[in-house]
Amino acid sequence: MATDENVIEFKTGAWKSSEMVASYASRMHENRGTNRLKNRVELALCRDNLRGTRIVDVGVGTGRGSLSLARDGFEVTGIDISQAMLDHCRREAGEIPIELLLGDLTALPVESESFDSLLSLNVVVHFPNWREVLRDWARVVRPGGRLVFDVHSFDHLAAVARARGCEPADLLTQEQREDPGAYMLRIGARDVAEAAESLGLCVRKLVPYAAVLGGGNANYWLQDSRLWGYLGDRALSWMAVDEQLFSFGSFVEEQMIARLSTGATGRFMVVLEKLNDPAQTRGVLAYQKAIGAAFAGGARLESLRAVVGPEAAAWPGALTGHLGHAPNRTLLAMMLSSPAALHLRPLVEDLLGAPAAAELYEGNRLQRVDDRVAAFLQTWRTTLSHPDRFTFRGVDAGRALEYDLMRDLLDIEHFKREPGV
Amino acid sequence: MGAIVSLLWLKNREVVRQYLARVPSMLYVIGPTEPYRQYAAFGRVESLHALLSPQLQTSIAEDAAARAAAVASDLSAAGWTGAAADLRSDRATVTRTVTARLEERLRESMLLIAALDSAHERDGIDVVALNEDVMPAGKTAALWGRARGVPSVTISHSAILGRLYTVHREFNADRAVVFGRRGGLPYAEMGVDPACLAASGNPAWDAYAALPSQRGTVRSELAARYGIGANEFLVVFATTWSARFTAFCDADAYASTLRAVLRAVRDLRARGVPIRLVVKDRPTEDGGAVVVAALCKEEGLETGVIYARGETERFVVAADTVVSVDSNISVEAMLAGVPAINLWTPMGWLNGPFFDAEDGVLEAAPEKLAAAIAMTLGDANLRGLLTATAARRLPEFAAAPGTAAVRAAELLVRSHANAAAQSRGYVWEELSRPRRIVDKGAQATYFLNPRNELLQMLAHEPRVVLDVGCGGGATGAELKRVYPKAVVHGVELSGEAAAYAVARLDRVLQENVETMDFAGAGFAPGSIDVVFFPDVLEHLYDPWNLLRRVKPFLAPDAQVLASIPNVRNLWLLGELFKGRWDYVEEGLLDVTHIRFFTRKSVEELFVQTGYRIARWGANYDPRVPTVTAPTDALLNVEIYGLTMKDVSMRDLEEFRTIQFLVDAAPA
């Protein structure tokens, strides 16, 4: 089992080798595969929620988060524990002005209240001592300033586990549970709110994202769907080159998912403000709760609109437009092939109409056909008075029949044709 | 010599040849042996089913018929229960579907099981190679292997880029050769131990290693044959089909995707792009030409379409662009350095996209296909980018182009060796822990079979016979059958073999002949008139001393009949040339051999210990080819990577010898 100490030590030390930096840069910096959408969503969330022009980027890494801000005139100070990362960032920066400092994220090497906002991407997720981290971060931001960072959502894990009737930890792989290298901090909206209040901060926003980012951004609602795992990532990678697919992905993330709760997706962006305003924090939690309640009651567009507001009214038209592009339809069908998506069917019908919803859910029907025939092949021989009629010289010749029988039975069950012809 | 069973399709037969070159073996195949005729240089080739006698075939057929009838009667009496009752089709239709070809299918499986058993009993099957461990024959063979402890290796016939669905989602063989890392992912996801998977490329694609450099020649040959103009672009489309093993299958895919391509080509031609389209149909698509012609007519593309079912590699290499629908042929295009377009379909994605955005394969939905083809033909930058990207990604899809057959063969060899290591221990363990005869299975032949070639050398009626290393006593028993008055004394170190021999010979001494006291054992001087040393002397620390010690006990007319392995064997020289001197359980490099002989040193062994050699004989090595030439011919020989000049027929004779047979008399 990973202890907090060895996780912190590993996560702090891991980024110091230049080899690790190069591999990280190739994964994160480029707009390859689904990184294009991830970069767009995360950078837009930062820009929209930062305040002022003096920005500190903690765990600046290769500069993925702040080089574009610096280019646009923000005064950016980047801090990292790894000189190799800072060297890489300096090379990437070229002419772009950016101050880079070596330092630890729990003891930032800067004056108190010297920044308008703090930004930190993909950093808190690595640290179990996140409350201690936040204390120092709150120190360096001026009153009224903002802290913007992303975390993995425990609420998501809990919601999916509840729906599946298992424990949240059951959803993780053994490696994720035990290997310090694979450790990921997972916290919920309530954890964030409590920590913020204790530091004299308020929660301005909690914005879920990463519904369709793939890669390391698991959306557990999609488990057992056709968009889960490496095959799903392969489909999502086409967002890098298919503009309409990219535009659809952006719409899903920014217009729909972003309005939902921290249970919706595996990551959320936290926007804190250095302001003692418990009512604001309570309001954010209340919104989370209302969204949760809308879904718990079998989500319909009407009930969601009551919580989300008028933006939700634009969803049907915009969605229908995006679905004119065939790969977008297939991508959505792949998402909806998750067992967890079955109860969303009324909402999908509200959004797109019954015929379009039926087409999107067609995969579930096809899957049931496959499952039915597969179950038949598993069990049909138990119908017989002597199930071992197929065993010849100790070898079960019956199992060799399954291949042809699968096709023959699909022919009568589904393709409506003479079997095997 | 063991055996390999190959259920591989013909396109993979090079794997078998490479295996046989490494492990000379008996080869059993399904179907005609003709395509494997030249492999007989390494061992016999037989059809598996030829092992079954007509009587056995009939009885199995009757058995299958009885089983099928019993199943049908059960089903009509009891109907369906449990999950089997959940099908939507009515029960009569389901019953009819299940029973329709039951007898035939069951019979095929049972015949294969029986044939595998016969081959195993006869030769001992070391490994089963097959192409699909989910299809009826391959699955039967893999399950048979599991039941008998015979390792099986499945060699993928596709790159396995999408989802493994329904009946494909199993792993019945012990190991799998997949084309590349990607092909292993679905198995890894199923929980198959990565140690069972080898990413070794596709043996059927080894031709691509050499073909791209011949692009110009291939292109001009095809151009001449089909009248393709110099200005025409060659676009190859490989048709798809509806396999119907999952409901996620578009039953109309063949026609709808072909139409999409025909329309794209028609549009491009209308815009002045000269395209010659090759419709590459599946070899099994009988009647495809008629269907394709009809569709071409409907889509207004009556000329400029070449219909082909073979020569895939040549068309791919000559092509300017290859279009297909979630097909291996995109990987072939990658191998050939030709841009590939994957025609996007919803089912393609639902069944797992074959390619990601960085694989160097372009994806185009039907309405964008014309534009994609135009880009790959007209945009040199894009062509360069696609082929360079594809070349970089190629190892993911198909490792080691050009050497896949060799790698697959080596995996077969390792599977064989692993199985031996698991079930029988390593070869060297033989030294400290001799195996039981029954464990040797088919390899026990030299314990249990008479050495007829030595018996044939008898020059007089034997009286007192000493059979040194008599094994199970088979040779002595045969001798006694012909010469009932002969008294045969066997000497055998192995207690188990000796126990067999006791019932067959007059006396069996379970002793080490090197330390045996002949007088103490009751032999009178000058009494023994036949001594057998059947592959024994090379196992002794001091064979010279044994020959000297036994000589006083020999009669004046005594014959010493010995069989001695020849290390001046050409196959063995080839091995040595390759750096191999691999001890094995039996044969030229039996791990228990202590002394090694050539014809010359055999001669010295006998002459120096007081014998003269009256006659020579030989057993020949089936691995070494025979040459017919006049006896005084001097030949240049090239084999096993060796080149030899002016080799005499006498030398060739010795090269071919696996054991010398010696008839020696006391001098």
Side-chain angles (χ1 to χ4, degrees), chain A residues 32 226 230 234 237-238 244 330 363 370 383 385 389 391-393 399-400 402-403 408 410-411 413, chain B residues 67 74 79 88-89 105 117 139-140 148 161 172 244 246-248 344 350 353 355-358 368:
Chain A
R32 283 187 350 194
R226 285 177 185 249
Y230 70 93
R234 233 177 250 172
S237 78
W238 288 93
Q244 287 163 287
T330 306
D370 278 2
T383 293
S385 59
R389 284 211 207 283
T391 304
F392 178 66
R393 299 190 181 181
R399 287 203 48 213
E402 289 163 359
Y403 185 79
D408 293 350
L410 281 171
D411 279 346
E413 281 285 286
Chain B
R67 288 165 186 251
D74 269 3
R88 298 286 181 271
S89 312
R105 289 169 178 171
D117 273 341
K139 190 165 171 177
T140 300
R148 303 287 185 269
L161 299 177
N172 297 308
R244 313 201 309 279
T246 170
F248 286 88
W344 185 91
L350 287 167
F355 303 101
D356 74 27
E358 291 166 63
K368 297 195 173 144

Side-chain angles (χ1 to χ4, degrees), chain B residues 90 190 204 324 439 512 531 619 625 658:
Chain B
D90 66 81
M190 271 164 60
S324 62
D439 293 339
N512 181 348
V531 182
N619 284 331
I658 193 161

